[in-house]
């Protein structure tokens, strides 16, 4: 089944304890992105990757790191999480397309709480 | 990306057509209109997109006005499972992201 998977789905952690949220897609998509969703703020892009070893900042990159060593994986790293990073996180992948089609396939989400 | 404006919420009767408006008066010539929806707290789901012409797929129809300043997403026969937040997004051809606003919360009632 074509899908984007995220792990963990739920995580409660403490301030300053490094964590990684994994994202994997099995559709051979070139583009991958991370978003966070907060009440009243919609989804905001954190980082994106156009292909292996090519990443760039989105709208809210502070406090996050990413890497793209393999096409299928795009982990999100929080080196020193803080309470303001408590949020619902989504990973998405997108095939390189034509005709303006930009269909993003979203993962199920990771609900992170930082205390 | 052009700003889009949508109503905050709307109700629809099950089995009837749901017409969701979106205003994008500052859209530029290379920006497409996309519609996504998000059911509860699941990941958003692509519905349809268009540039100038009206579009239809198995989920919905997209009607874009001739001046491209507004569009309407039509769910032809709404079901309870169509209850969701619907996002109208304008995206430039070379952009690598979608800018999600608050969307329209659609509630389909039996």
């Amino acid at each position: 089944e074509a899908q984007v998977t995220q792990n963990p789905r739920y995580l409660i952690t403490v301030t300053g304890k490094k964590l990684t949220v994994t994202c994997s897609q099995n559709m051979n998509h070139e583009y991958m992105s991370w978003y966070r969703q907060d009440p009243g703020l919609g989804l905001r892009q954190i980082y994106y990757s156009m292909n292996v070893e090519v990443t760039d900042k989105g709208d809210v990159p502070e406090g996050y790191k990413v890497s793209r060593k393999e096409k299928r994986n795009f982990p999100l790293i929080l080196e020193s999480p803080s309470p303001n990073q408590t949020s619902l996180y989504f990973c998405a992948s997108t095939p390189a397309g034509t005709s303006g089609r930009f269909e993003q396939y979203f993962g199920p989400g990771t609900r992170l709480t930082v205390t | 990306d052009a700003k889009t404006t949508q109503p905050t919420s709307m109700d629809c009767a099950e089995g009837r057509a749901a017409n969701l408006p979106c205003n994008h008066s500052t859209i530029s010539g290379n920006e497409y209109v996309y519609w996504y929806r998000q059911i509860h707290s699941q990941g958003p789901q692509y519905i349809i997109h268009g540039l100038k012409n009206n579009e239809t797929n198995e989920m919905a129809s997209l009607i874009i006005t001739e001046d491209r300043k507004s569009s309407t997403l039509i769910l032809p026969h709404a079901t309870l499972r169509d209850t969701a937040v619907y996002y109208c997004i304008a995206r430039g051809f070379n952009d690598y992201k979608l800018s999600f606003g608050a969307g329209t919360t659609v509630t389909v009632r039996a």
Side-chain angles (χ1 to χ4, degrees):
Chain A
E1 180 189 354
Q3 60 183 345
V4 178
T5 56
Q6 295 178 225
N7 283 292
R9 295 287 314 280
Y10 303 90
L11 179 61
I12 300 174
T13 190
V14 296
T15 299
K17 186 177 181 181
K18 180 179 179 180
L19 66 93
T20 299
V21 183
T22 65
C23 174
S24 182
Q25 52 97 0
N26 61 1
M27 296 169 281
N28 202 38
H29 288 168
E30 285 76 12
Y31 306 143
M32 296 186 76
S33 296
W34 276 103
Y35 293 84
R36 59 178 288 174
Q37 185 171 29
D38 303 289
L41 296 176
L43 280 86
R44 295 177 292 167
Q45 191 183 53
I46 303 170
Y47 269 95
Y48 64 94
S49 168
M50 291 167 282
N51 215 321
V52 175
E53 303 291 3
V54 183
T55 64
D56 207 347
K57 298 177 181 179
D59 295 323
V60 288
E62 296 78 19
Y64 304 94
K65 285 176 58 178
V66 293
S67 69
R68 185 98 182 271
K69 293 183 170 46
E70 305 167 279
K71 199 171 188 180
R72 62 182 293 130
N73 296 322
F74 190 44
L76 180 70
I77 303 157
L78 285 72
E79 294 270 3
S80 182
S82 63
N84 65 12
Q85 293 179 298
T86 292
S87 187
L88 178 58
Y89 291 87
F90 289 104
C91 178
S93 73
T94 311
T98 59
S99 303
R101 190 177 181 98
F102 192 75
E103 181 175 351
Q104 291 205 304
Y105 293 76
F106 283 81
T110 294
R111 190 168 293 279
L112 172 66
T113 302
V114 183
T115 61
Chain B
D1 297 339
K3 179 179 168 56
T4 62
T5 304
Q6 301 176 248
T8 303
S9 63
M10 61 184 294
D11 285 358
C12 176
E14 187 178 22
R16 304 295 294 271
N19 297 290
L20 284 63
C22 179
N23 181 286
H24 33 80
S25 58
T26 61
I27 198 168
S28 63
N30 74 340
E31 287 184 301
Y32 289 74
V33 178
Y34 290 79
W35 283 84
Y36 277 71
R37 73 180 183 183
Q38 186 174 24
I39 297 173
H40 195 45
S41 292
Q42 298 176 21
Q45 175 191 23
Y46 167 86
I47 300 174
I48 200 167
H49 79 283
L51 183 63
K52 290 188 289 188
N53 300 323
N54 298 338
E55 303 287 344
T56 295
N57 63 21
E58 65 279 2
M59 289 182 70
S61 295
L62 174 60
I63 309 298
I64 303 175
T65 58
E66 194 169 337
D67 63 8
R68 301 212 322 125
K69 292 185 177 183
S70 66
S71 60
T72 301
L73 178 75
I74 301 172
L75 307 177
H77 304 288
T79 70
L80 298 178
R81 289 177 295 180
D82 291 322
T83 292
V85 178
Y86 288 77
Y87 299 98
C88 170
I89 302 161
R91 172 192 166 258
F93 186 78
N94 292 317
D95 285 343
Y96 292 103
K97 70 176 180 182
L98 296 171
S99 296
F100 291 81
T104 297
T105 299
V106 174
T107 303
V108 180
R109 302 193 186 282

